[in-house]
Amino acid sequence: MNDGNQEYIFNEGDFRFGKRNRLIKFLKLPPEGGEYKSLSAHFSQETLRSFSMEFGYASENHSNGDAMLKLNPNVLYKNYMDSLLPYLQLNQLGNESLLSTKLKEALLLILKVNPELKDVLFDFSEPGKIDLDAFMNKNFHFNVDLNRFAYLTGRSLATFKRDFEKLFNITPSRWLQQRRLQEAHYLIKEKGKTASDIYLDLGFEDLSHFSFAFKKQYGLAPTKI
């Protein structure tokens, strides 16, 4: 997993906790001759607000730090994950109360084993307005829509576009493509990477689109650089 600043490596049996409003890329590598499997529990803001009101939890400090935390092994976490296996056959429709109870159980376990996560779970503040230049040059390779970039920089979409064009003298969509292609050219020419090595990492959805855009930008196919 990579958040643009740091790489996190998790192995079989590990437990991890991801913070909201962070951008993360996943690379899932199955064992030789095996397959990759994982179980995740997602806590919506509605779920967390309801839980905080019911049990009286509140964040006391704004949480920064790493986007992804490794949780120390604990028998309670393992037993909980094992208990989820029978629920994988259930559809959400008609079983909302049952599934909601399992999420509440997960929160109670987290707060028992890792009580310091209270300040992360119940921090309902929205992202503040931040340096657009630094954020975009750090996160341009994440394949997310403009609404998400706007929210994470503490702006409405309209304000994001206005601030962006004032700063870069180009629309966000065009800048993103040019910046990704610029990075691709560097990686291919200077680092010996191939198009298939890098197109996903740079935020392109498919190889053919990447190759077409690259040739249009540089006049040569990636294989000719």
Side-chain angles (χ1 to χ4, degrees):
M1 306 175 74
N2 193 302
D3 64 0
N5 271 339
Q6 183 175 343
E7 183 175 81
Y8 309 84
I9 297 176
F10 299 97
N11 297 299
E12 182 177 359
D14 286 346
F15 298 96
R16 58 183 181 266
F17 180 94
K19 298 179 181 178
R20 75 183 182 108
N21 296 334
R22 305 297 183 93
L23 296 173
I24 291 282
K25 286 187 176 183
F26 301 80
L27 179 61
K28 301 174 181 179
L29 299 172
E32 185 175 353
E35 59 182 333
Y36 175 94
K37 288 184 177 181
S38 67
L39 278 173
S40 300
H42 173 259
F43 307 114
S44 69
Q45 292 296 281
E46 181 183 2
T47 296
L48 292 169
R49 288 182 188 277
S50 174
F51 186 95
S52 70
M53 291 180 65
E54 181 177 355
F55 292 95
Y57 282 99
S59 175
E60 297 174 3
N61 298 292
H62 181 67
S63 174
N64 291 311
D66 293 343
M68 188 65 58
L69 304 176
K70 184 174 181 178
L71 303 178
N72 291 328
N74 188 286
V75 66
L76 292 177
Y77 286 148
K78 183 180 186 307
N79 289 344
Y80 174 78
M81 288 299 183
D82 288 343
S83 78
L84 288 180
L85 294 175
Y87 292 85
L88 297 181
Q89 308 304 318
L90 292 178
N91 292 320
Q92 175 74 33
L93 189 62
N95 293 292
E96 291 87 355
S97 295
L98 184 58
L99 297 174
S100 175
T101 299
K102 293 300 292 183
L103 285 178
K104 187 183 296 186
E105 179 186 350
L107 286 169
L108 289 169
L109 286 177
I110 290 171
L111 292 166
K112 179 176 179 61
V113 180
N114 293 95
E116 70 279 5
L117 292 180
K118 171 179 68 71
D119 287 336
V120 179
L121 287 163
F122 306 109
D123 180 0
F124 301 118
S125 61
E126 300 295 330
K129 197 170 185 178
I130 61 173
D131 184 327
L132 195 56
D133 190 338
F135 180 86
M136 293 305 298
N137 275 294
K138 172 188 170 185
N139 296 292
F140 67 87
H141 48 84
F142 286 101
N143 184 16
V144 296
D145 61 31
L146 295 185
N147 279 305
R148 192 63 180 160
F149 279 131
Y151 175 78
L152 293 175
T153 59
R155 293 165 170 84
S156 68
L157 180 58
T159 302
F160 173 80
K161 289 180 177 179
R162 185 177 64 248
D163 289 354
F164 195 100
E165 292 188 36
K166 183 178 179 180
L167 177 64
F168 293 104
N169 297 311
I170 191 174
T171 65
S173 296
R174 290 189 64 189
W175 183 89
L176 282 167
Q177 176 156 301
Q178 289 183 11
R179 183 67 181 84
R180 290 164 178 168
L181 291 172
Q182 178 187 5
E183 184 70 10
H185 189 278
Y186 167 76
L187 291 173
I188 292 171
K189 184 177 181 180
E190 304 297 334
K191 299 297 184 180
K193 300 291 185 179
T194 66
S196 58
D197 289 335
I198 62 175
Y199 77 96
L200 285 174
D201 287 341
L202 292 176
F204 289 91
E205 293 186 357
D206 62 73
L207 182 57
S208 61
H209 174 237
F210 167 75
S211 298
F212 176 82
F214 189 96
K215 186 173 182 179
K216 185 177 181 181
Q217 176 83 3
Y218 293 106
L220 292 171
T223 53
K224 302 298 183 182
I225 298 298

